[in-house]
C-alpha cells in the first residue's frame, strides 16, 4: 500500500485445473489464495464450493457444501481439511433458527449435516458460505481490504472504490445470523460480486472456481491500487519520532530485553520469543502515532485473537537500563489493564480469565518482540501484528482508523466455543516452551540429543564449529521437526567472544534459555612422553575451558531470567576412570566433572541444576570414532578397527552396545523436570563398567 506496490498475479493454470475434480479445484484455488499473505493471513479466511455428488447411502445425487473446516490454513491445507455437509440439511437449519440467542446451539447442529461421515469439524463460518446462492465463495482477510473495513467511513469508502460491485455489511460476529445477512444481501443485490465486512474482511463469489478466484484477486488488487493513489506522497503514522537503530544494535537490545520479559511472564508457563525488526515494524514503532494507534487495538478478529487486543509499548529512548528498571511496572500495568477489560466485559458464564500478559511488545527504534507458548505461535502472532500495522497504515492514511469495539472483542476472545476449542487442545509436550543450547550439536551424541529434546517439544540451538555438518544437521532436523524449532550457530567453544555471541543469537531467536547441553568435544591418545603441549592445550581448551565458557554464559542468562535452568555435561567414563595413554583427554574430562559439581553447588539457590552424563564407547555416528582415535584405541587393544564395537560390547557388564540415542535419553531425563530434584549427579551410560562406578 505504498507507491508502486506489486499487484497480485493471476496464477490460475487452465490446463492443470481442467484435469481436476471439483473438490480438487477448490483445494487448488484455496492453496493459490493462501500462498500470498497479502490475500489472507495464516489460518485466516475460508473457501467453499457446492458440489453435486452421489450420496454414499442411497447413490442419489445430492448437493454437498465443501468448506474449510475448523482450524487449518487455506494455503497449506489438503483435501481432508474441508468439512463436507449436505446442503438440504443445512437449508433445514434455517427453519430451526429463531435468533441470535441460539448461535452457539447452531454450531452443534452443523454436526448433524455431515456428509460421508467426514470427521473434519465444521467451522463457525460454515453458514457464511452455505446460504450464499453461489457455487463458489471465498472469504479472505486481505490487509488492503481490512484497511478499508477498519476506517470510520468504511461504508462510504467501499462504495467509492467498488460502486455496486461490492456491498458492505456492518460488524457482526461470525455465525448463523451473519450467514443469513449475507444471504439476504446477495438476494437483494444479484449483480454484486461480494461484500466488505466491517472490521473483518472480504467475501467474494462466483459461478466457477476460476471465476471466483479471479474476482477475489481483482477486488483485492483494486484496493491495493486505490491505496497506492491515496497514500502517494503522504507521511505514514504522523511521521518519524524515533529513527531505527543500526541492525546489530537492534538485535543486541532485543537479546537483552527478551530474557527479562520472559522472566516476568514465564513463571506459570514458559514462553518462546520472536523478534521482528522489518521495515514495516520499524516505521510503526518509531512513529509519532505509535501510542494512540497501539492503544486503539487491532480490528480483524483473527489479528487480536493471536496478538491480544492491544500490544505493550515499552518506553525506550536509547537507555536499555531505564527500560529494564521500569519493566516490572510496565508489565504489571498491562496486566491490570487486561484484568480490568475482563471485569468490564465478562458475562455470568464467561470462562475464567486467561494469561493477562501481553503477547506483543513494541520498542521504538528497535522492533517488535512477541511471546507465546511455542515458537510458531510467537512468530505467527508477530506476523498478525504486522498485518494489523499494514491495516492501520492504510486506514489511518485515508480516514480515521478504528479498532474493534471492546465488548465485541471480548465476546470473541471468551466465546464459550473458543474456550471449548482450547480445552480440547492436546496436553503440551514435556519440553514445550523450553529452549536448549547444545554444543557439538552437529556431532553424533549432540545431534541425537537435539533430536530427543525436539521430540519433547523443545526449541534447539545447535552450536558447532563445523559449518558443513552444522548446516546438514540443522536442515535435517528442521525437516523433521519444523523450521521454527531449530537454529544453528557457528561457535568455537574455546573463544570467549564467539560463545557470548552464540548465546546472544540464540536469545534473539527464542527469547531465552532453559537447558544447556555442553557436549562439544574431541579425543586424543598418546603416552605422556609423546603428548605435545599443543595436544595437551587443545584438550584442556575444548573440554575444560570450553565447558567453562558455555556454562558461564548460561549461568549469566539463567540468573537474569530467574526461571532456574538445567545444565548437562557430556563428560566421559575417562573422567572418572584413569586410562593409560590418554592423559590429556582423561584429565580434561575429569576437570569437566569437577566443574559440574562446583556449578551444581553455585547454581542450586537459583534453581539451576547441573548434572553429568558419562558415555563410553559410542562408536556409531561419532566423528571422534571415525578418526585416528579409533585407530589408536584399536591398536592399544591389539584389534582391527572393525572389531572395536564388538570388543566394547563384550567388555561391558550388560553385554550391550551403547548408541548416541542412549546418551540422549539420559540427557533428556536430566534436562527435564523428571529430574527436578537432582543436581550434582553423574549418570554413566556405558552398559556397565566397574571402573567407572561412582563412589
Ligand atoms: P563427535 O565428534 O561426533 O561430535 C563432537 C562435535 O563437537 C563435533 O560436531 C565437532 O565439530 C564439535 N566440536 C569440536 N570442537 C569444537 C569446538 N571447539 N567448538 C564447537 N564445537 C566443537 O563426537 P561425539 O562422540 O558425539 O562426542 C560428543 C561428546 O561426548 C564429546 O565431548 C566426547 O568427548 C564425549 N564422549 C564421547 C564418547 C564416545 O564414545 N563417542 C565417549 C565418552 C565421551
Amino acid at each position: 500500500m505504498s507507491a508502486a506496490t506489486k499487484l497480485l498475479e493471476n496464477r490460475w493454470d487452465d490446463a492443470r485445473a481442467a484435469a481436476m475434480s471439483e473438490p480438487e479445484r477448490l483445494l487448488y484455488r484455496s492453496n493459490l489464495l493462501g500462498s500470498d499473505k497479502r490475500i489472507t493471513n495464516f489460518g485466516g479466511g475460508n473457501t467453499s464450493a457446492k458440489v453435486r455428488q452421489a450420496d454414499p447411502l442411497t447413490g442419489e445425487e445430492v448437493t454437498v457444501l465443501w468448506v474449510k473446516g475448523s482450524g487449518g490454513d487455506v494455503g497449506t491445507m489438503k483435501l481432508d481439511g474441508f468439512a463436507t455437509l449436505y446442503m438440504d440439511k443445512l437449508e433445514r437449519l434455517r427453519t430451526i433458527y429463531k435468533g441470535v440467542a441460539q448461535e452457539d446451539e447452531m454450531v452443534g447442529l452443523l454436526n448433524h449435516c455431515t456428509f460421508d461421515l467426514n470427521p473434519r469439524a465444521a467451522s463457525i463460518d460454515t453458514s457464511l458460505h452455505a446460504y450464499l446462492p453461489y457455487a463458489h465463495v471465498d472469504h479472505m482477510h486481505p490487509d488492503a481490504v481490512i484497511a478499508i473495513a477498519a476506517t470510520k467511513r468504511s461504508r462510504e469508502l467501499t462504495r467509492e472504490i467498488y460502486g455496486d460491485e461490492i456491498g458492505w455489511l456492518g460488524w457482526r460476529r461470525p455465525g448463523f445470523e451473519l450467514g443469513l445477512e449475507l444471504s439476504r444481501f446477495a438476494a437483494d443485490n444479484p449483480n454484486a460480486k461480494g461484500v466488505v465486512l466491517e472490521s473483518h474482511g472480504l467475501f467474494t463469489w462466483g459461478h466457477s472456481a476460476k471465476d471466483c478466484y479471479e474476482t477475489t484477486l481483482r477486488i483485492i488488487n483494486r484496493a491495493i491500487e486505490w491505496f497506492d493513489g491515496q497514500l502517494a506522497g503522504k507521511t505514514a503514522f504522523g511521521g518519524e519520532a524515533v529513527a531505527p537503530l543500526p541492525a546489530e544494535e537492534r538485535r543486541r537490545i532485543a537479546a537483552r530485553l527478551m530474557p527479562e520479559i520472559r522472566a516476568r511472564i514465564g513463571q506459570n508457563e514458559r514462553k518462546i520469543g520472536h523478534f521482528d525488526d522489518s521495515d514495516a515494524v520499524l516505521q510503526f514503532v518509531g512513529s509519532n502515532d505509535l501510542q494512540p494507534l497501539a492503544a486503539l487495538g487491532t480490528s480483524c478478529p483473527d489479528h487480536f485473537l493471536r496478538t491480544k487486543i492491544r500490544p505493550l509499548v515499552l518506553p525506550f529512548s536509547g537507555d536499555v537500563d531505564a527500560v529494564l528498571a521500569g519493566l516490572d511496572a510496565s508489565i504489571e500495568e498491562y496486566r491490570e489493564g487486561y484484568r480490568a477489560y475482563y471485569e468490564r466485559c465478562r458475562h455470568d458464564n464467561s470462562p475464567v480469565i486467561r494469561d493477562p500478559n501481553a503477547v506483543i511488545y513494541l520498542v521504538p527504534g528497535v522492533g517488535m518482540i512477541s511471546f507465546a507458548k511455542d515458537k510458531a505461535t510467537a512468530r505467527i502472532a508477530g506476523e498478525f501484528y504486522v498485518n494489523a500495522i499494514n491495516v492501520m497504515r492504510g486506514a489511518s492514511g485515508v480516514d480515521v482508523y478504528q479498532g474493534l469495539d471492546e465488548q465485541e472483542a471480548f465476546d470473541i476472545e471468551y466465546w464459550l466455543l473458543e474456550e471449548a476449542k482450547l480445552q480440547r487442545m492436546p496436553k503440551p509436550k514435556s519440553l514445550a516452551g523450553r529452549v536448549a543450547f547444545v554444543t557439538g550439536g552437529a556431532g553424533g551424541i549432540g545431534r541425537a540429543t537435539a533430536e530427543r529434546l525436539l521430540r519433547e517439544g523443545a526449541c534447539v540451538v545447535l552450536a558447532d564449529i563445523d559449518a558443513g555438518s552444522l548446516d546438514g544437521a540443522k536442515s535435517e532436523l528442521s525437516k523433521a521437526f519444523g523450521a521454527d524449532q531449530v537454529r544453528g550457530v557457528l561457535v568455537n567453544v574455546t573463544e570467549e567472544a564467539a560463545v557470548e555471541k552464540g548465546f546472544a543469537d540464540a536469545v534473539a531467536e527464542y527469547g531465552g534459555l532453559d537447558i544447556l547441553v555442553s557436549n562439544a568435544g574431541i579425543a586424543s591418545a598418546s603416552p605422556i612422553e609423546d603428548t605435545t603441549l599443543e595436544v595437551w592445550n587443545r584438550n584442556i581448551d575444548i573440554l575444560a575451558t570450553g565447558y567453562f565458557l558455555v556454562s558461564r554464559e548460561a549461568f549469566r542468562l539463567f540468573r537474569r531470567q530467574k526461571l532456574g535452568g538445567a545444565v548437562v555435561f557430556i563428560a566421559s567414563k575417562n573422567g572418572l576412570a584413569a586410562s593409560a595413554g590418554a592423559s590429556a583427554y582423561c584429565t580434561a574430562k575429569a576437570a569437566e566433572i569437577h566443574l559440574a559439581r562446583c556449578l551444581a553447588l553455585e547454581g542450586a539457590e537459583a534453581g539451576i541444576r547441573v548434572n553429568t552424563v558419562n558415555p563410553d564407547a559410542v562408536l556409531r555416528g561419532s566423528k571422534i570414532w571415525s578418526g585416528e582415535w579409533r585407530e589408536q584405541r584399536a591398536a592399544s587393544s591389539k584389534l582391527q578397527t572393525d572389531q572395536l564395537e564388538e570388543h566394547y560390547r563384550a567388555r561391558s557388564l550388560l553385554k550391550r552396545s551403547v548408541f548416541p540415542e542412549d546418551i540422549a535419553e539420559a540427557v533428556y531425563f536430566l534436562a527435564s523436570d523428571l529430574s527436578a530434584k537432582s543436581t550434582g549427579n553423574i549418570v554413566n551410560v556405558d552398559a556397565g563398567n566397574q571402573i567407572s562406578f561412582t563412589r
Side-chain angles (χ1 to χ4, degrees):
M1 281 179 284
S2 60
T5 310
K6 250 182 81 197
L7 294 181
L8 305 172
E9 263 173 63
N10 185 342
R11 292 167 53 213
W12 191 268
D13 180 341
D14 279 324
R16 268 187 78 183
M20 293 175 181
S21 67
E22 202 60 84
E24 285 166 347
R25 256 192 302 274
L26 169 65
L27 178 66
Y28 175 54
R29 178 175 107 222
S30 310
N31 290 166
L32 281 184
L33 291 169
S35 66
D36 190 329
K37 293 286 165 274
R38 293 175 299 167
I39 299 177
T40 204
N41 46 15
F42 179 85
N46 26 61
T47 47
S48 70
K50 301 180 181 84
V51 181
R52 295 289 291 169
Q53 272 180 281
D55 187 309
L57 200 57
T58 63
E60 229 175 85
E61 277 248 315
V62 291
T63 305
V64 178
L65 175 71
W66 284 67
V67 58
K68 191 192 96 173
S70 187
D73 166 55
V74 285
T76 49
M77 69 187 294
K78 306 265 174 3
L79 264 186
D80 66 2
F82 290 100
T84 48
L85 303 99
Y86 286 98
M87 267 312 296
D88 58 348
K89 294 192 182 189
L90 285 168
E91 285 297 342
R92 291 282 295 281
L93 289 189
R94 292 170 90 147
T95 63
I96 296 174
Y97 179 71
K98 300 284 177 294
V100 284
Q102 234 180 323
E103 282 284 9
D104 290 6
E105 202 183 306
M106 298 312 287
V107 179
L109 291 177
L110 289 176
N111 295 334
H112 294 274
C113 305
T114 303
F115 172 82
D116 202 14
L117 305 178
N118 183 351
R120 174 67 56 188
S123 94
I124 195 75
D125 284 359
T126 301
S127 47
L128 315 190
H129 291 256
Y131 305 125
L132 279 166
Y134 293 89
H136 300 269
V137 177
D138 289 337
H139 166 43
M140 298 286 117
H141 291 163
D143 290 349
V145 177
I146 302 179
I148 300 164
T151 56
K152 274 229 153 75
R153 291 192 310 125
S154 75
R155 180 176 209 151
E156 291 92 313
L157 292 182
T158 303
R159 183 144 197 95
E160 181 183 328
I161 300 165
Y162 296 112
D164 288 337
E165 196 180 7
I166 297 291
W168 180 92
L169 291 178
W171 161 260
R172 179 177 290 286
R173 178 152 57 108
F176 211 80
E177 188 69 30
L178 183 56
L180 297 183
E181 271 186 21
L182 276 162
S183 160
R184 277 195 295 272
F185 170 85
D188 294 345
N189 299 275
N191 294 326
K193 295 278 194 294
V195 162
V196 167
L197 299 182
E198 186 188 24
S199 295
H200 187 163
L202 175 69
F203 264 84
T204 31
W205 44 73
H207 292 296
S208 72
K210 180 182 178 186
D211 175 30
C212 187
Y213 170 77
E214 291 182 339
T215 299
T216 304
L217 254 52
R218 189 164 49 75
I219 297 301
I220 301 172
N221 273 337
R222 194 158 338 140
I224 293 175
E225 280 179 313
W226 185 81
F227 273 109
D228 268 357
Q230 294 287 315
L231 300 180
K234 279 196 190 160
T235 313
F237 303 131
E240 185 178 274
V242 181
L245 292 167
E248 250 180 53
E249 188 65 4
R250 299 198 294 265
R251 219 173 141 76
R252 196 186 62 75
I253 294 172
R256 277 201 64 197
L257 290 176
M258 290 170 87
E260 301 278 353
I261 297 173
R262 192 170 187 248
R264 288 159 174 86
I265 64 171
Q267 298 290 344
N268 295 332
E269 181 199 51
R270 294 291 161 104
K271 304 262 172 37
I272 302 286
H274 183 74
F275 174 58
D276 180 343
D277 59 350
S278 57
D279 290 348
V281 167
L282 288 170
Q283 184 189 39
F284 181 64
V285 299
S287 72
N288 282 310
D289 291 349
L290 168 67
Q291 290 282 6
L293 282 176
L296 287 180
T298 59
S299 51
C300 175
D302 267 28
H303 295 176
F304 84 80
L305 275 177
R306 294 276 189 171
T307 63
K308 283 220 168 87
I309 187 88
R310 266 173 216 97
L312 167 51
V313 178
L314 292 176
F316 175 72
S317 54
D319 182 358
V320 190
D321 292 327
V323 178
L324 293 178
L327 198 54
D328 279 331
S330 302
I331 287 178
E332 192 42 43
E333 195 189 335
Y334 185 93
R335 287 182 189 138
E336 299 223 321
Y338 186 82
R339 288 188 200 109
Y341 149 77
Y342 177 84
E343 288 305 328
R344 269 197 308 278
C345 301
R346 62 177 292 198
H347 305 283
D348 288 345
N349 62 348
S350 290
V352 291
I353 187 168
R354 303 199 190 104
D355 182 6
N357 289 299
V359 175
I360 303 288
Y361 301 78
L362 303 177
V363 193
V366 177
M368 169 175 67
I369 293 164
S370 48
F371 271 102
K373 65 182 168 56
D374 57 45
K375 178 67 178 180
T377 312
R379 174 180 56 75
I380 293 167
E383 287 170 8
F384 273 59
Y385 201 75
V386 172
N387 289 124
I389 289 174
N390 291 337
V391 166
M392 288 188 275
R393 190 189 313 107
S396 64
V398 296
D399 189 43
V400 175
Y401 167 77
Q402 59 176 11
L404 194 56
D405 172 75
E406 176 174 274
Q407 186 65 53
E408 290 296 330
F410 179 89
D411 289 348
I412 289 189
E413 190 175 350
Y414 282 91
W415 200 346
L416 292 174
L417 295 170
E418 197 65 39
E419 176 71 8
K421 227 197 267 173
L422 292 176
Q423 297 300 338
R424 280 199 303 271
M425 300 254 276
K427 240 182 97 201
K429 293 184 182 163
S430 68
L431 294 181
R434 310 276 165 126
V435 182
F437 193 93
V438 182
T439 73
I445 291 172
R447 201 194 135 129
T449 297
E451 199 165 329
R452 184 70 185 93
L453 303 180
L454 284 162
R455 256 191 8 240
E456 294 299 329
C459 294
V460 174
V461 181
L462 307 168
D464 208 289
I465 197 173
D466 177 345
S469 307
L470 183 62
D471 275 356
K474 191 185 132 207
S475 73
E476 281 171 31
L477 291 173
S478 299
K479 228 177 266 161
F481 296 95
D484 282 315
Q485 296 302 110
V486 192
R487 293 288 180 275
V489 287
L490 201 58
V491 171
N492 180 349
V493 295
T494 69
E495 288 175 10
E496 191 172 20
V499 169
E500 283 172 12
K501 178 162 186 324
F503 276 81
D505 282 344
V507 170
E509 288 298 328
Y510 289 128
L513 185 74
D514 304 283
I515 297 163
L516 164 67
V517 183
S518 185
N519 158 80
I522 50 153
S524 72
S526 57
I528 185 70
E529 311 87 297
D530 301 337
T531 301
T532 61
L533 179 59
E534 193 201 340
V535 166
W536 173 266
N537 282 342
R538 196 167 131 73
N539 278 277
I540 300 293
D541 279 353
I542 297 174
L543 301 173
T545 310
Y547 278 49
F548 149 68
L549 284 175
V550 295
S551 302
R552 188 182 66 177
E553 215 46 40
F555 261 61
R556 285 173 174 165
L557 243 170
F558 289 154
R559 287 205 192 276
R560 281 165 52 207
Q561 211 182 229
K562 300 185 190 75
L563 296 170
V567 177
V568 183
F569 277 13
I570 307 300
S572 169
K573 170 210 84 178
N574 295 67
L576 287 175
S579 172
S583 56
Y585 177 73
C586 293
T587 307
K589 283 289 171 188
E592 287 176 5
I593 292 175
H594 206 58
L595 175 63
R597 293 191 186 104
C598 297
L599 299 186
L601 213 55
E602 272 190 50
E605 49 82 26
I608 305 169
R609 301 184 296 108
V610 185
N611 292 289
T612 298
V613 177
N614 284 335
D616 187 35
V618 184
L619 278 66
R620 284 192 208 166
S622 169
K623 285 188 265 169
I624 290 176
W625 281 99
S626 60
E628 56 179 22
W629 172 260
R630 189 182 191 110
E631 281 152 27
Q632 289 160 349
R633 292 290 93 191
S636 88
S637 303
K638 306 199 171 23
L639 294 168
Q640 300 298 317
T641 51
D642 59 2
Q643 294 173 311
L644 271 180
E645 191 166 335
E646 175 53 19
H647 165 72
Y648 288 123
R649 189 195 67 76
R651 193 188 69 177
S652 72
L653 289 170
L654 297 170
K655 307 288 176 233
R656 303 188 69 175
S657 295
V658 184
F659 303 121
E661 296 71 31
D662 301 320
I663 313 303
E665 200 59 41
V667 176
Y668 164 58
F669 172 72
L670 292 171
S672 72
D673 291 345
L674 290 173
S675 62
K677 296 172 188 172
S678 295
T679 193
N681 279 308
I682 295 175
V683 179
N684 291 328
V685 185
D686 57 3
N689 190 339
Q690 193 182 351
I691 57 167
S692 44
F693 282 3
T694 52
R695 55 186 75 81

